[in-house]
Amino acid sequence: MTQWPLSDAVEEMPAGLWIRRGPPPPMFSMHRHDDVEINVVLDGQLHYLFGGQPLTIREGEIAVFWAAQPHGLVDSRTGDMCWVHVPFSMFLSWGLPESQTAPLLSAQPLITHAPDLALRIAHTAERWGEEVGGSEPGGGENDADDSAQIALLEIQAAVRRILRASSLAHPEPPADGAGSVPAARLRQVSTMAQHVRENHRSPLAIADIAASVHLTPSHAMTVFRRTAGVTLGDYVTMCRVAEAQRLLLTTSLRITEIADAAGFGSLSSFYEHVSAACGMTPREYRRQGR
């Protein structure tokens, strides 16, 4: 399903192919979805918290990441931008070289400074949205089907061009005064999120997370929720689900081993959270990547 333009909060959108051009969309909390997300910044800046680390996407840059990792906009300088979400199952079906897909599967965002390519993608994005959505004016049903297939091939070609040109991101926190979120609070939230990312595979107490930033548990929970838009407990679950997805697609470990390796305390909890996040059982999710 393609949304053009997108007016609702991103967290409420189901996983699927959709495209947006314009200023940053509403994003009120950390979230995750099973798509490959492409951010094109023509003007302005995007400041994310991605996988526990600050990530800044600047003017003329294109970022690509697997959105199964918890992420959210924590501050941004509005401007002209474009988003393309490609369902992960579609992305896998393209059979891209492992050298290009491996960084995404290991939770590494890819960023390239390519102003000309960014402009080309943004200019054609609206047409992609119309054609994939079947809303091309003046065309019959067959014409719409042909246009949709061509648009999907063009989207694939654009992703291939981006991945070929991309290099690993080097996330940097936004400078003081870059936005409305105080830099000290952003550092605290980033430190807590990174502590979760590094330790979610083991039993993890809120007190341990709070201690990483020298706050009381209640104060740490408040700071994190107000800045990231989700509770610390929810963020821990997001990280465990993302790790489970990665292991299901990239290893031959048994389901019980994956549940343990991702940090779930029980097999029933693993099935409950992974099935809810993916819309299918863990075994079904694994099969789509074969």
Side-chain angles (χ1 to χ4, degrees):
M1 177 179 180
T2 300
Q3 297 289 331
W4 181 275
L6 177 69
S7 58
D8 296 326
V10 171
E11 302 94 319
E12 299 173 1
M13 292 297 300
L17 180 66
W18 63 264
I19 302 163
R20 174 192 170 93
R21 170 85 182 269
M27 192 176 296
F28 304 111
S29 66
M30 299 283 286
H31 64 289
R32 55 182 302 285
H33 46 94
D34 203 21
D35 302 308
V36 171
E37 183 168 334
I38 302 160
N39 292 188
V40 178
V41 178
L42 303 177
D43 176 61
Q45 284 189 359
L46 295 174
H47 297 304
Y48 277 100
L49 190 63
F50 178 88
Q53 295 185 348
L55 173 68
T56 300
I57 309 168
R58 299 174 175 83
E59 183 174 325
E61 291 184 336
I62 305 171
V64 185
F65 54 84
W66 183 22
Q69 293 297 323
H71 62 284
L73 289 173
V74 293
D75 237 339
S76 296
R77 178 163 61 81
T78 189
D80 188 7
M81 304 169 187
C82 180
W83 282 262
V84 180
H85 288 194
V86 177
F88 196 60
S89 57
M90 179 184 296
F91 177 80
L92 291 174
S93 73
W94 292 344
L96 300 175
E98 184 177 349
S99 60
Q100 294 180 355
T101 60
L104 298 179
L105 291 173
S106 62
Q108 291 291 336
L110 298 173
I111 293 184
T112 183
H113 182 78
D116 292 341
L117 180 57
L119 194 60
R120 286 167 54 191
I121 291 172
H123 279 333
T124 55
E126 183 170 6
R127 178 172 54 78
W128 289 342
E130 293 172 349
E131 292 179 346
V132 174
S135 59
E136 185 181 35
E141 183 176 343
N142 291 336
D143 290 337
D145 289 342
D146 288 344
S147 294
Q149 290 301 316
I150 292 171
L152 290 174
L153 288 172
E154 289 178 346
I155 293 171
Q156 181 184 159
V159 172
R160 286 176 177 270
R161 290 182 186 277
I162 295 168
L163 292 179
R164 188 176 62 182
S166 293
S167 58
L168 287 179
H170 298 284
E172 297 178 5
D176 289 358
S180 58
V181 178
R185 182 188 298 176
L186 185 58
R187 283 194 292 270
Q188 287 177 326
V189 171
S190 176
T191 298
M192 285 189 281
Q194 186 61 24
H195 183 84
V196 173
R197 286 275 298 133
E198 293 173 353
N199 297 281
H200 69 268
R201 299 170 186 84
S202 304
L204 190 59
I206 298 297
D208 298 329
I209 304 171
S212 70
V213 288
H214 310 291
L215 296 177
T216 65
S218 61
H219 191 193
M221 288 189 291
T222 299
V223 168
F224 193 90
R225 177 176 53 79
R226 288 181 177 175
T227 304
V230 296
T231 67
L232 271 169
D234 287 341
Y235 186 75
V236 172
T237 299
M238 286 181 180
C239 290
R240 287 173 174 165
V241 169
E243 176 68 0
Q245 287 179 275
R246 186 186 70 82
L247 294 173
L248 284 166
L249 293 176
T250 62
T251 75
S252 57
L253 292 173
R254 295 187 302 239
I255 294 294
T256 53
E257 293 173 321
I258 291 175
D260 182 65
F264 287 97
S266 68
L267 194 59
S268 61
S269 177
F270 167 77
Y271 268 96
E272 176 187 352
H273 289 295
V274 174
S275 297
C278 299
M280 62 186 75
T281 68
R283 294 184 191 282
E284 291 169 337
Y285 186 79
R286 168 173 266 176
R287 281 198 294 269
Q288 75 170 357
R290 299 305 187 197

